[in-house]
Amino acid sequence: MDARIFLDEFRPFRRGEIALARRLADEPDFLPPRELALLRHALRLAQLSALGGEPDELVDRIGGLRLRLLQLLAPVLPTEPARIDAAALAARLPKVVLLVADARRRLFEAGLTSEVALDAELATKRLVLVLGGAAGSGYVFLGALEELERLGLRPSYLAGCSVGSILAVIRARTEGFALPELLDDIRRMRERGAFRAPTRPRFGLPAALRLDLRTALGELFEVDGRQQTLAELPIPADVLATGLGPGALSEPSESYARMIDLEIHSAGALEKLPPAALARLVGPLVSLAMSRQVLVPIFLGADPETRRLAALDAAGFSAAIPGVLSYDLQSDDAEGARVLAELFERHALSGLVDGALSTLIPARYAWEAVEAGRIGTRHAAILALDALARPRGSNALLLPLLRVASATADRDRAFWDLHVAFQRAPNFLDVFPSDARLATAAANGKREFAETARVLPPLLAPVPPWKELAPDAIAHRDDRFR
């Protein structure tokens, strides 16, 4: 679906449904259950872009429904939850039901879907979780992951960049989530050492350190003696990397390995990087981030070819901070090399680096993948987690870079449904923190996620089949709840 159609015709209904969910979180009995279910059914049908046939076919078929429904509900379903009035919604509900019934009839007569299939599609709204780029600051997301599991809300799709991509593929490795197990995974990276001395990469950019995820985590992703690919993850997950197109580098690539003119061989040394050294790095990164016309966003996993990459390798490229961390395939990975060689030739790339240079929060890429059929349904809510929206402490040194990167949020903001801007995130460079700092990050994240955690259950709650709601009784009665 064209993004402009989504913003003009679909987005208002997503915002209306979120406002309704926020009101229900505050006042669960705000509307009678049946009336609430009928209203939610209407809002969800208006957001549906495809079911069975080509997306544009369904979009065109119920375009009239969206227009009339918007005219009907916009005055009585404001985006401010406290202003939603039950009586005003009651007055419009009979007409809403008639519009929905007519739209359903049109879909069935056109052969685009069946009653059972349509009800099944609208019954469940899937959760899409986007983990923003944040390096070590992203560990604040752990509290949100734990809270989602406590609520029984498991993501149907994950997208990430930078360290968010590492957390995404680790989370996608199993259907369920246990924070102690993920903490063990991070501890394993710290104890085994995920950093190596720099080498000349084939597909990455030289840097002070080489990130080696396979040594640290490879056994967790091993399947029949080989590494699990993105296509094989139990939960679909894609990660954003940035391709360096022609002219992206203003200096020879080898100079990026010398930007931090200190000996760094461990996560601890990286965390203690002097502010002056970090400041020297920020300038070239700002210059690189501003070269948008020659940067090529590569959403690894969104297409069948890159889905053949090992999940850890895809995340490694996404987390390769220019000048700090480089990443590359192992020398014996012939399949991965073939996939990347074709990608490099197609886009004339000279290297793959951190996806945060393309955008801090890849919400639009996640939306595009969902619309393209990545998870088999277009009916989803996109939740974006952002650890760098409020930089503080040592993270404040990154402000020049974040100001440039924040411009990318404009293209993504319209595509997320809920956004959590964590304000107590760890140090950006604390890539593999101690157990104590991880526990603190998770606890802070859980507290800051609490408000969103209240909204998600009513937003994602299932809706009964249309006929079970006895819509005819609503459509032919007066404008009062009974």
Side-chain angles (χ1 to χ4, degrees):
M1 176 174 56
D2 186 276
R4 290 170 297 180
I5 295 177
F6 168 75
L7 296 175
D8 292 342
E9 299 185 20
F10 288 71
R11 184 65 178 160
F13 296 103
R14 294 177 82 137
R15 288 178 173 168
E17 189 175 14
I18 292 167
L20 187 63
R22 291 188 185 279
R23 180 61 184 271
L24 289 167
D26 294 332
E27 190 179 345
D29 298 326
F30 162 66
L31 288 173
R34 183 176 65 160
E35 281 76 1
L36 173 63
L38 287 166
L39 179 59
R40 293 176 64 221
H41 189 105
L43 292 171
R44 290 185 174 187
L45 179 60
Q47 297 171 49
L48 196 60
S49 64
L51 183 66
E54 292 298 318
D56 288 345
E57 189 175 2
L58 191 146
V59 168
D60 293 340
R61 184 71 60 173
I62 60 175
L65 164 72
R66 281 189 295 276
L67 176 60
R68 292 192 293 275
L69 200 58
L70 184 62
Q71 294 169 337
L72 197 59
L73 290 179
V76 296
L77 191 57
T79 55
E80 299 87 351
R83 293 180 52 210
I84 302 176
D85 182 80
L89 282 175
R92 305 294 174 100
L93 194 59
K95 292 181 180 178
V96 168
V97 168
L98 288 173
L99 284 175
V100 172
D102 182 63
R104 288 172 61 92
R105 178 183 57 78
R106 290 174 181 270
L107 293 177
F108 302 151
E109 289 178 352
L112 293 179
T113 185
S114 68
E115 187 168 348
V116 172
L118 181 59
D119 285 340
E121 176 70 10
L122 298 180
T124 305
K125 198 177 191 77
R126 277 70 169 184
L127 177 63
V128 171
L129 190 59
V130 180
L131 306 179
S137 301
Y139 290 116
V140 75
F141 300 157
L142 297 177
L145 294 176
E146 183 181 32
E147 188 65 5
L148 288 173
E149 184 69 14
R150 185 189 70 81
L151 293 169
L153 302 176
R154 292 179 176 174
S156 296
Y157 176 50
L158 294 117
C161 68
S162 193
V163 169
S165 66
I166 298 177
L167 294 178
V169 298
I170 291 176
R171 175 62 189 90
R173 188 174 60 87
T174 57
E175 291 283 356
F177 174 77
L179 182 59
E181 291 182 11
L182 193 144
L183 294 178
D184 286 342
D185 295 343
I186 299 170
R187 186 182 302 113
R188 183 181 288 104
M189 287 193 288
R190 184 177 66 247
E191 293 175 349
R192 294 188 177 184
F195 292 155
R196 299 289 179 267
T199 58
R200 174 67 183 176
R202 291 177 295 167
F203 299 105
L205 184 68
L209 287 170
R210 178 170 60 90
L211 182 60
D212 182 6
L213 292 180
R214 286 208 187 188
T215 296
L217 295 174
E219 67 181 36
L220 300 177
F221 288 81
E222 192 168 297
V223 178
D224 298 328
R226 58 178 179 77
Q227 284 292 294
Q228 193 173 31
T229 66
L230 288 170
E232 295 169 326
L233 293 173
I235 301 176
D238 300 332
V239 302
L240 183 68
T242 300
L244 303 175
L249 301 179
S250 58
E251 302 177 27
S253 61
E254 291 78 7
S255 66
Y256 283 81
R258 301 189 297 272
M259 283 183 178
I260 304 176
D261 53 358
L262 298 168
E263 290 295 322
I264 301 176
H265 299 296
S266 69
L270 181 60
E271 179 200 350
K272 297 173 183 176
L273 189 68
L278 181 58
R280 285 194 298 273
L281 177 65
V282 168
L285 288 181
V286 168
S287 176
L288 187 58
M290 291 182 69
S291 306
R292 301 197 189 284
Q293 67 273 20
V294 288
L295 298 180
V296 183
I298 305 292
F299 202 30
L300 300 172
D303 62 276
E305 270 301 293
T306 59
R307 221 169 286 159
R308 299 169 68 89
L309 290 171
L312 278 180
D313 290 338
F317 283 112
S318 177
I321 307 169
V324 180
L325 300 175
S326 70
Y327 196 85
D328 206 6
L329 299 178
Q330 291 194 340
S331 58
D332 60 351
D333 187 355
E335 175 65 6
R338 182 193 65 78
V339 171
L340 290 186
E342 292 179 359
L343 188 70
F344 273 48
E345 182 178 2
R346 187 181 318 129
H347 297 286
L349 302 180
S350 59
L352 281 178
V353 296
D354 199 315
L357 288 178
S358 295
T359 181
L360 286 174
I361 306 173
R364 177 166 180 165
Y365 297 96
W367 173 82
E368 290 173 345
V370 170
E371 282 297 316
R374 179 70 170 95
I375 59 174
T377 178
R378 279 84 173 175
H379 188 206
I382 297 178
L383 168 60
L385 305 184
D386 183 359
L388 291 177
R390 303 286 189 273
R392 51 192 288 275
S394 58
N395 287 354
L397 292 170
L398 300 170
L399 275 174
L401 178 60
L402 294 177
R403 289 192 185 102
V404 175
S406 64
T408 64
D410 291 337
R411 73 184 299 278
D412 289 280
R413 185 176 292 110
F415 295 90
W416 65 55
D417 297 296
L418 295 168
H419 172 248
V420 184
F422 294 93
Q423 300 190 36
R424 297 186 60 82
N427 183 349
F428 178 83
L429 291 176
D430 196 1
V431 181
F432 300 123
S434 67
D435 289 354
R437 291 199 294 271
L438 278 172
T440 298
N444 288 338
K446 186 174 182 178
R447 281 193 295 271
E448 295 191 55
F449 188 68
E451 178 57 31
T452 300
R454 295 176 60 247
V455 175
L456 284 170
L459 178 64
L460 302 176
V463 174
W466 179 251
K467 285 188 175 179
E468 287 185 12
L469 299 172
D472 290 345
I474 298 284
H476 296 98
R477 73 181 188 191
D478 60 24
D479 293 344
R480 294 171 298 175
F481 287 132
R482 294 179 179 176

